[in-house]
Amino acid sequence: MNTRRKFIKKSAVTAVGIPLINVSNCYGAQQEVEKNISKKIIPTVISTWENQKANEAAWNVIKSGGSSLDAVETGVKVPEADPEDQSVGYGGRPDRKGIVTLDACIMNADGDAGSVSFLQGIKHPISVARKVMEETPHVMLVGSGAERFALAKGFEKINLLTDLSKREFEDWKKTSKYKPVINIEQHDTIGMLAIDKNGDIAGACTTSGLAYKMHGRVGDSPIIGAGMFVDNEIGGAAATGMGEAVLKSLGSFLVVELMRQGRTPFEACKEAVMRIIKKQQFGDIQVGYIAINKEGEYGAFAIQQGFNYVITQKGQTQLIDGQFFKK
Ligand code: GLY
């Protein structure tokens, strides 16, 4: 961010944390100021599935005055490093060639974005995505290019395939039947959104994607607007589940745009799910969305029963069963 923008951003928050905007030459400026003064900032962390530990890690960043960007990166690194989480990062289930390939994306409150896809051998794709955002002129790097970039930035190359995921893959090969199991092999992604003490929103999304996917397959998670999207004026959204369905509806962007039109986070998530239901075969797939708006309101909705999410506000973390369309 250039110095001038930094200055405006800093001066947009008073000592007591009340957000003000730079109103000079603004039509309707007085009204806008009043609207903003009356708004309270509600620091928030929300993530898909039972990622309480990830929320706690992110919350610690927010609590100590860190940025929402640092919070979401710190948070999603927890499942990325966990060998028992078989749908994210290290320990993720491989593709049908037995190779673990990772997708991730990140967005900050300025609308900057970074993403990596089909990345192999690197434990923290989210941190590589952040480096793409902050240290390259691009948004997305894929495959060997992303890997080379990561190695050049000092990331270590490791074997991501754990014994457990390898054993399961060997079993799967006996039939090679490709039918990802709802809420298990499609229980795939951590999407996380956070609001910091300045009221700024950031988001992150990271996954090893669908188990036993075709080699080279890329899902929704690294695609800005599909797997995750943030507009700091409005809110943010993230998706989990069958990436193909999310890609075809650019789901997270849609959720944010629906909130822009006045829907609550819950209504926006529900409408984005209904778009999939109206236009796609949804019987055997799961898709879930989480969303927050600038006021710290949150919501979620999924196609199938079984989707849950974690919300942290005022230091309290709760696991919530998402509402859904179909039992
Ligand atoms: N939602 C993650 C994927 O489909 O890869």
Side-chain angles (χ1 to χ4, degrees), residues 103 188-189 207-210 217-221 239-244:
D103 295 336
D188 51 11
T189 305
T207 189
S208 50
L210 293 175
R217 179 265 186 189
V218 170
D220 59 315
S221 302
T240 181
M242 183 60 83
E244 282 71 6

Side-chain angles (χ1 to χ4, degrees), residues 16-276:
V16 288
I18 298 169
L20 296 170
I21 57 164
N22 186 338
V23 293
S24 52
N25 305 320
C26 255
Y27 177 74
Q30 189 57 38
Q31 261 183 330
E32 198 57 29
V33 170
E34 280 163 11
K35 195 168 142 209
N36 278 283
I37 285 174
S38 68
K39 273 184 192 165
K40 275 216 314 263
I41 292 170
I42 304 184
T44 300
V45 177
I46 185 170
S47 66
T48 52
W49 305 110
E50 299 96 351
N51 277 301
Q52 290 94 327
K53 285 189 187 147
N55 266 45
E56 278 159 24
W59 184 255
N60 285 338
V61 175
I62 299 282
K63 200 172 64 178
S64 56
S67 70
S68 50
L69 182 66
D70 286 341
V72 293
E73 182 189 6
T74 302
V76 304
K77 282 173 79 174
V78 173
E80 280 187 343
D82 181 355
E84 285 173 17
D85 189 324
Q86 291 182 276
S87 51
V88 178
Y90 175 57
R93 293 187 178 90
D95 64 17
R96 61 186 68 174
K97 278 179 79 176
I99 299 169
V100 180
T101 73
L102 304 179
D103 295 336
C105 76
I106 194 158
M107 276 188 95
N108 68 18
D110 294 320
D112 300 322
S115 154
V116 288
S117 180
F118 195 54
L119 177 63
Q120 297 168 40
I122 305 290
K123 192 188 270 183
H124 289 301
I126 198 67
S127 300
V128 185
R130 182 168 176 177
K131 288 226 176 286
V132 172
M133 175 174 83
E134 292 179 342
E135 297 180 25
T136 80
H138 307 304
V139 168
M140 187 169 194
L141 292 177
V142 306
S144 59
E147 186 182 320
R148 239 177 269 169
F149 171 74
L151 297 177
K153 291 290 169 190
F155 289 83
E156 188 194 354
K157 174 118 182 155
I158 62 161
N159 176 17
L160 295 171
L161 187 63
T162 53
D163 290 345
L164 172 63
S165 287
K166 191 171 174 187
R167 265 198 318 275
E168 285 188 6
F169 173 60
E170 295 302 331
D171 274 353
W172 176 80
K173 275 202 298 189
K174 289 176 193 155
T175 58
S176 296
K177 196 164 167 241
Y178 184 65
K179 195 171 188 316
V181 183
I182 286 173
N183 295 334
I184 299 177
E185 289 161 2
Q186 290 184 33
H187 174 311
D188 51 11
T189 305
I190 177 164
M192 178 178 277
L193 307 158
I195 304 175
D196 61 28
K197 287 180 178 173
N198 291 329
D200 284 332
I201 304 175
C205 184
T206 176
T207 189
S208 50
L210 293 175
Y212 321 131
K213 60 196 174 186
M214 287 175 71
H215 187 63
R217 179 265 186 189
V218 170
D220 59 315
S221 302
I223 308 299
I224 304 297
M228 190 273 298
F229 191 72
V230 166
D231 181 329
N232 196 40
E233 284 176 21
I234 305 298
T240 181
M242 183 60 83
E244 282 71 6
V246 178
L247 279 167
K248 284 187 263 183
S249 53
L250 210 54
S252 293
F253 182 73
L254 175 61
V255 171
V256 172
E257 289 310 298
L258 288 164
M259 291 194 291
R260 192 190 306 277
Q261 291 163 23
R263 312 281 177 102
T264 65
F266 169 77
E267 289 165 352
C269 291
K270 185 172 180 186
E271 173 60 25
V273 163
M274 295 315 289
R275 294 273 175 104
I276 294 174

